[in-house]
Amino acid sequence: MESLIAKAKSIQEEALTAIEESKDLSALLEVRNKYLSKKGLVSSLMSELKTVDASARGEVGATLNMTRSTVLKAFEAKETLLHEEEIERKLESERVDITLPGRSLSVGSINPFYLIRDEICDIFASLGFHIVEGDDIESERYNFELLNMPHDHPARDMQDTFYLTNGLLLRTQTSAAQAHTLEEDLSKGPLRIVSPGKCYRRDDDDMTHSHQFGQVEGLVVGKGVSMADLKGTLALFVRKMFGEKRKIRLRSSYFPFTEPSVEVDVSCAKCGGKGCSMCKGTGWIEILGAGEVHPNVLKMGGYNPKEVSGFAFGVGIERVAMLRYGIDDIRRFYQNDARFLAGFHKED
Ligand code: DAH
């Protein structure tokens, strides 16, 4: 009995010293395992209790319990201490020096393509046009057939594109939105919409051509809508986009979905119409195609061309942006060169 108490005392001593000397939590944990775990030294003292004479067992047991709780308390106290020390250390090492200058954030800018797209839409919205969104993936029916371009129509040759499965394709013109709008307007009443978006064609990319480009489509339908309305609307658009002095000129052209069809030129901003390198000496720069909506298109859209008429136009977004900002190469819109993009900002 004496010897078990003595053993307990010496283990207690040893354990307390080990706890005291533990420098960090992982060292302390090892000490805990050595003394306090199920098979640890303090616990194994307990299992020796049965060898003690029955009459003395109570007293020895009480001593062993004391040993155990003394070691446990010492362990817990040390654990709290080390924990606090570790937090202190962390706070110290992660301290933020609030006097250091901050890191500056680089602020992105909006691609001029989107600046101009939004500006075109804003101008037409201010004239009462609704903005309609179309899909980049279209069927032949909406991209061609409902626009009076049946399967064997020669005008399709100029609009070869990327074909997907199931007769789907990447649209070649936002004009597809015309067919959708006519079809979806159940009132078959007056319409005034613009539809911006991306178009795709099989094209060899160069300074003025890209296999991907943007257009804004316009469509107006109503009673007595005429070429005069088209001309007035586009003249206003051009003045708002390029300045009050700009004039427009309509040249006769051909599109399957309009009759008559025109191409619209704007007077050159650089030379004011005298002729320079920018307008190739003509004084005019082409910016869009337009015309009176073909009766077949109205009919296929469920409208009666004897009762209503309309005009439509398609304007190239990059083309307008290039003229407005003096950008010389259409590929710049798609190269993501931060030095180029940083030069453009929304004007209030
Ligand atoms: N879709 C034509 C093109 O991509 C542009 C166009 C011309 C649109 C005349 C029109 C239009 O709505 O009336 O070349």
Side-chain angles (χ1 to χ4, degrees):
M1 155 193 163
E2 269 309 315
S3 71
L4 192 52
I5 288 181
K7 196 171 169 189
K9 282 229 164 83
S10 101
I11 285 179
Q12 175 177 324
E13 206 85 335
E14 203 185 296
L16 292 180
T17 314
I19 287 170
E20 185 57 40
E21 286 172 357
S22 295
K23 292 224 160 45
D24 53 37
L25 285 166
S26 72
L28 185 67
L29 212 69
E30 273 177 34
V31 175
R32 185 198 149 97
N33 281 343
K34 184 169 173 192
Y35 294 95
L36 293 168
S37 66
K38 262 196 188 145
K39 290 191 175 145
L41 291 174
V42 174
S43 317
S44 63
L45 284 174
M46 298 290 186
S47 56
E48 283 182 49
L49 194 59
K50 55 183 179 292
T51 63
V52 174
D53 205 54
S55 61
R57 214 175 273 167
E59 195 195 331
V60 177
T63 309
L64 294 187
N65 276 340
M66 269 302 276
T67 301
R68 190 182 154 73
S69 77
T70 308
V71 174
L72 192 63
K73 267 195 199 126
F75 167 80
E76 284 169 354
K78 184 75 178 183
E79 189 182 33
T80 310
L81 187 79
L82 288 176
H83 223 87
E84 280 165 5
E85 272 178 21
E86 193 160 304
I87 289 172
E88 266 316 298
R89 224 177 305 125
K90 257 201 165 148
L91 283 175
E92 190 61 32
S93 69
E94 290 171 10
R95 186 151 68 196
V96 178
D97 182 352
I98 55 166
T99 64
L100 283 175
R103 279 186 216 127
S104 62
L105 293 174
S106 63
V107 179
S109 58
I110 300 174
N111 189 306
F113 174 91
Y114 293 109
L115 288 176
I116 291 295
R117 178 199 65 180
D118 293 350
E119 209 176 311
I120 295 172
C121 289
D122 283 351
I123 292 172
F124 284 104
S126 76
L127 297 174
F129 284 62
H130 289 277
I131 296 168
V132 169
E133 275 194 64
D135 294 323
D136 290 18
I137 295 178
E138 268 299 351
S139 62
E140 287 197 42
R141 182 171 155 77
Y142 288 94
N143 195 77
F144 294 125
E145 280 161 30
L146 293 175
L147 293 165
N148 209 23
M149 292 166 90
H151 200 70
D152 51 1
H153 197 289
R156 282 206 191 189
D157 269 4
M158 290 188 301
Q159 300 200 9
D160 195 9
T161 183
F162 302 88
Y163 285 86
L164 312 168
T165 48
N166 307 333
L168 296 175
L169 45 81
L170 294 187
R171 69 173 171 191
T172 60
Q173 47 187 356
T174 45
S175 305
Q178 285 192 33
H180 280 291
T181 308
L182 291 172
E183 186 178 85
E184 282 159 24
D185 176 46
L186 298 178
S187 76
K188 303 299 168 199
L191 262 183
R192 225 184 300 173
I193 61 111
V194 280
S195 186
K198 291 262 166 65
C199 306
Y200 307 84
R201 287 189 200 171
R202 201 218 68 81
D203 232 334
D204 293 321
D205 295 0
D206 61 21
M207 282 173 79
T208 52
H209 295 87
S210 165
H211 60 279
Q212 172 187 318
F213 56 96
Q215 288 186 336
V216 177
E217 191 76 13
L219 174 68
V220 173
V221 177
K223 275 202 162 68
V225 175
S226 70
M227 283 298 274
D229 297 312
L230 167 69
K231 195 173 174 188
T233 307
L234 293 181
L236 194 89
F237 162 67
V238 160
R239 287 205 303 275
K240 289 207 178 200
M241 178 55 74
F242 296 109
E244 282 304 317
K245 293 215 176 98
R246 303 278 71 80
K247 293 195 187 73
I248 60 164
R249 171 176 89 168
L250 272 53
R251 272 183 298 108
S252 171
S253 184
Y254 172 77
F255 298 104
F257 33 90
T258 42
E259 180 58 37
S261 303
V262 289
E263 258 158 342
V264 179
D265 299 338
V266 54
S267 58
C268 180
K270 197 166 170 196
C271 64
K274 283 195 218 77
C276 67
S277 59
M278 177 132 155
C279 56
K280 300 194 184 96
T282 65
W284 297 94
I285 296 168
E286 184 198 323
I287 57 157
L288 58 86
E292 280 272 297
V293 181
H294 197 291
N296 287 351
V297 174
L298 288 173
K299 230 183 280 172
M300 285 186 279
Y303 287 72
N304 183 352
K306 293 211 173 79
E307 282 173 14
V308 291
S309 55
F311 69 76
F313 58 87
V315 53
I317 296 174
E318 290 90 344
R319 181 137 195 105
V320 172
M322 286 165 86
L323 290 176
R324 186 51 192 277
Y325 295 125
I327 297 169
D328 57 355
D329 192 327
I330 193 170
R331 291 169 292 196
R332 290 192 186 279
F333 293 98
Y334 300 105
Q335 285 163 338
N336 256 342
D337 181 341
R339 291 164 304 177
F340 166 74
L341 296 174
F344 302 95
H345 300 283
K346 197 171 167 67
E347 292 162 24
D348 296 318

